[in-house]
Amino acid sequence: MDEQPRLMHSHTGVGMAGHPGLPQHMQEGTGGTDGDGRKQDIGDILQQIMTITDQSLDEAQARKHALNCHRMKPALFNVLCEIKEKTVLSIRGAQEEEPPDPQLMRLDNMLLAEGVSGPEKGGGSAAAAAAAAASGGAGADNSAEHSDYRAKLSQIRQIYHTELEKYEQACNEFTTHVMNLLREQSRTRPISPKEIERMVSIIHRKFSSIQMQLKQSTCEAVMILRSRFLDARRKRRNFNKQATEILNEYFYSHLSNPYPSEEAKEELAKKCAITVAQVHHRSLKPTQVSNWFGNKRIRYKKNIGKFQEEANMYAARTAVNAANASSHGSQANSPSTPNSAGSAGSFNMSNSGDLFMSVQSLNGDSYQGAQVGANVQSQVDTLRHVISQTGGYSEGLTANQMYSPQGINANGGWQDAPTPSSVTSPTEGPGSVHSDTSN
DNA sequence: TAAAATGATTCAAA
DNA sequence: TTTGAATCATTTTA
């Protein structure tokens, strides 16, 4: 505590007898009046106070007691208190009021929102549920992960509370200790209650900055926990086969414009959900359909060669479906995939290679218009259909020549064909197309 | 177990 | 707002 020097220093400025003036008083005070005698008395006291540190402990103790019992002590003490109040405290008092720390408020809000500092049970689960809802993840099948998450969260919560309590207790202990000390000292030093108050607030500020660090690290821990458990990317589940097939079917049958409308997405999602329900999987959401198509488009475009075989397969399949639908009306409502392996196999033909080549070159040369993309697609589908009807070509062949990306234009982008009405339903496309182009 | 596949997110641009 | 591109984190496959 550096109060003593400051205290002494402050006297000089106020006109009180400070130590630089002291010897003069002592020397001049010989033929003094009554006032001069009192002055000398005060000077004497101050002198004694000044030199008290030079003395041995016992001596100092005795001197202290003597000073305490001095008749001038209360008056002098009051004056010192007053001076100190006027100088030191008024200077500090200006910066006493500080606004609540925005950083701390943010941390508090977050901890409350995450259910760390709020009420015990409800807050935590509510926050977890809200987080799950916000992350857009599946709602049904994550209870296991959630319980794990909640366990960890309550662990953090417990640590946080214990630490907080510890700090609070330490703060209180330290505060009372300092207060006692100051009260004790206020008997011999000019310490006003206001000053004690100020000291307490300083202590509290220090401790609250420690608490803020605790809150900060707790927030970090919660964030890490959240990203660990609630980040949808971390619990990625592959769609099941049927769902992927439905999506692929749509994609390749609308290769010229693989941008399903909102309704189409809804419909696809529903369709996947129906197919998927029986396999005990979660259902798809339109958002997921959008994601799927976004990924598919970009990945297809990036490496068309890699997807050609797949493209062939699905094109073949839709063609077969169309064929079935047209030639056997009764089978029109049959499930979308009659027999995947079989149909794909039957389309692996060698004889038709040149035919397709010619068709493709034709398409490539003459159908670059924006609006015909879908028609080109239809023609190809129809051709496949025709071939499938012509007979069972089954021998080995160049699958990579079968299906070219007519929909992709020179820029590498898809032609923006105006979405035909048939686009909304994958199964409907080939069927309707078939009726008007097969001669 | 490394590499490939895949669903989801982020971010800039249109 | 939607899309493309890049990227992440996980799952599947070789």
Side-chain angles (χ1 to χ4, degrees):
Chain A
M1 303 281 176
D2 54 352
E3 297 292 344
Q4 197 80 9
R6 226 187 300 145
L7 171 64
M8 293 316 242
H9 181 70
S10 68
H11 297 164
T12 60
V14 191
M16 177 93 188
H19 62 87
L22 248 163
Q24 287 170 354
H25 278 276
M26 304 290 281
Q27 287 151 12
E28 290 168 5
T30 46
T33 59
D34 197 28
D36 281 345
R38 212 172 291 150
K39 262 190 207 165
Q40 188 187 348
D41 210 2
I42 293 169
D44 199 21
I45 293 171
L46 290 173
Q47 170 77 6
Q48 287 182 34
I49 294 172
M50 283 294 296
T51 55
I52 205 165
T53 50
D54 299 334
Q55 296 157 352
S56 74
L57 207 61
D58 283 343
E59 245 181 325
Q61 203 69 29
R63 180 66 56 83
K64 204 168 112 185
H65 186 255
L67 282 171
N68 265 332
C69 298
H70 197 281
R71 63 186 171 88
M72 290 295 291
K73 191 248 175 178
L76 188 57
F77 191 78
N78 281 343
V79 171
L80 287 174
C81 280
E82 209 175 303
I83 290 165
K84 193 176 176 189
E85 186 107 0
K86 273 187 189 153
T87 55
V88 181
L89 290 180
S90 63
I91 292 166
R92 300 265 187 84
Q95 57 199 26
E96 198 73 36
E97 295 298 326
E98 94 259 38
D101 188 0
Q103 169 87 2
L104 183 62
M105 279 179 62
R106 240 189 20 218
L107 291 174
D108 274 335
N109 286 339
M110 182 181 161
L111 288 174
L112 205 61
E114 293 295 333
V116 174
S117 58
E120 177 62 56
K121 259 271 152 55
S125 59
S135 73
D141 61 338
N142 50 8
S143 56
E145 289 122 86
H146 264 189
S147 77
D148 209 356
Y149 171 81
R150 268 202 296 276
K152 297 267 192 213
L153 189 67
S154 80
Q155 214 173 320
I156 290 176
R157 182 195 169 85
Q158 194 182 345
I159 291 170
Y160 170 77
H161 277 115
T162 356
E163 289 296 305
L164 203 64
E165 208 170 306
K166 224 159 62 184
Y167 287 150
E168 221 135 87
Q169 197 180 334
C171 180
N172 285 338
E173 269 174 29
F174 190 69
T175 306
T176 50
H177 178 74
V178 168
M179 272 170 70
N180 286 339
L181 211 65
L182 289 177
R183 272 201 212 106
E184 171 79 23
Q185 289 195 350
S186 71
R187 294 218 316 251
T188 51
R189 286 175 53 212
I191 298 172
S192 66
K194 208 170 164 187
E195 200 179 354
I196 295 179
E197 207 175 285
R198 196 171 58 84
M199 188 60 74
V200 168
S201 87
I202 287 171
I203 293 168
H204 280 161
R205 231 175 299 161
K206 290 281 179 208
F207 269 90
S208 82
S209 86
I210 295 172
Q211 281 189 0
M212 193 160 109
Q213 279 178 23
L214 172 68
K215 285 174 181 176
Q216 177 104 42
S217 54
T218 306
C219 277
E220 276 169 25
V222 170
M223 289 314 274
I224 291 168
L225 185 70
R226 269 192 67 163
S227 71
R228 184 83 187 79
F229 279 84
L230 266 31
D231 185 354
R233 280 183 295 195
R234 288 189 182 273
K235 42 178 193 185
R236 182 176 72 73
R237 298 272 181 283
N238 288 356
F239 299 160
N240 69 3
K241 216 165 183 176
Q242 285 96 323
T244 316
E245 282 185 3
I246 287 170
L247 295 172
N248 268 318
E249 219 166 90
Y250 186 97
F251 180 80
Y252 286 112
S253 68
H254 298 82
L255 200 51
S256 54
N257 188 39
Y259 296 86
S261 61
E262 282 308 310
E263 303 89 67
K265 284 178 194 167
E266 289 273 0
E267 201 173 322
L268 283 169
K270 213 186 299 172
K271 221 172 159 188
C272 292
I274 291 165
T275 325
V276 150
Q278 62 205 358
V279 198
H280 212 268
H281 264 250
R282 66 185 167 164
S283 58
L284 255 59
K285 289 183 169 133
T287 332
Q288 293 176 288
V289 175
S290 289
N291 285 341
W292 190 92
F293 271 90
N295 285 323
K296 189 73 183 181
R297 278 192 301 267
I298 194 72
R299 283 163 183 164
Y300 177 83
K301 205 171 81 176
K302 233 176 189 169
N303 192 352
I304 292 169
K306 200 173 70 181
F307 287 94
Q308 282 220 329
E309 203 168 337
E310 190 179 75
N312 291 336
M313 200 183 86
Y314 281 100
R317 193 176 299 178
T318 45
V320 167
N321 283 351
N324 286 343
S326 66
S327 56
H328 315 294
S330 62
Q331 283 192 350
N333 289 335
S334 68
S336 53
T337 60
N339 56 347
S340 52
S343 66
S346 71
F347 263 82
N348 273 353
M349 49 208 143
S350 53
N351 305 29
S352 61
D354 38 358
L355 171 59
F356 262 96
M357 288 295 277
S358 64
V359 168
Q360 278 174 355
S361 64
L362 178 73
N363 287 341
D365 290 339
S366 57
Y367 292 100
Q368 283 293 331
Q371 112 139 307
V372 270
N375 288 340
V376 171
Q377 181 61 49
S378 307
Q379 289 193 353
V380 173
D381 282 345
T382 308
L383 267 164
R384 289 189 197 300
H385 155 60
V386 169
I387 291 162
S388 79
Q389 281 187 325
T390 359
Y393 302 89
S394 53
E395 298 293 88
L397 97 111
T398 53
N400 55 347
Q401 291 179 340
M402 284 184 64
Y403 210 83
S404 78
Q406 311 94 340
I408 308 254
N409 63 25
N411 302 332
W414 265 279
Q415 302 168 5
D416 41 40
T419 27
S421 59
S422 66
V423 157
T424 39
S425 169
T427 49
E428 168 195 333
S432 59
V433 156
H434 165 70
S435 65
D436 71 55
T437 40
S438 76
N439 44 351

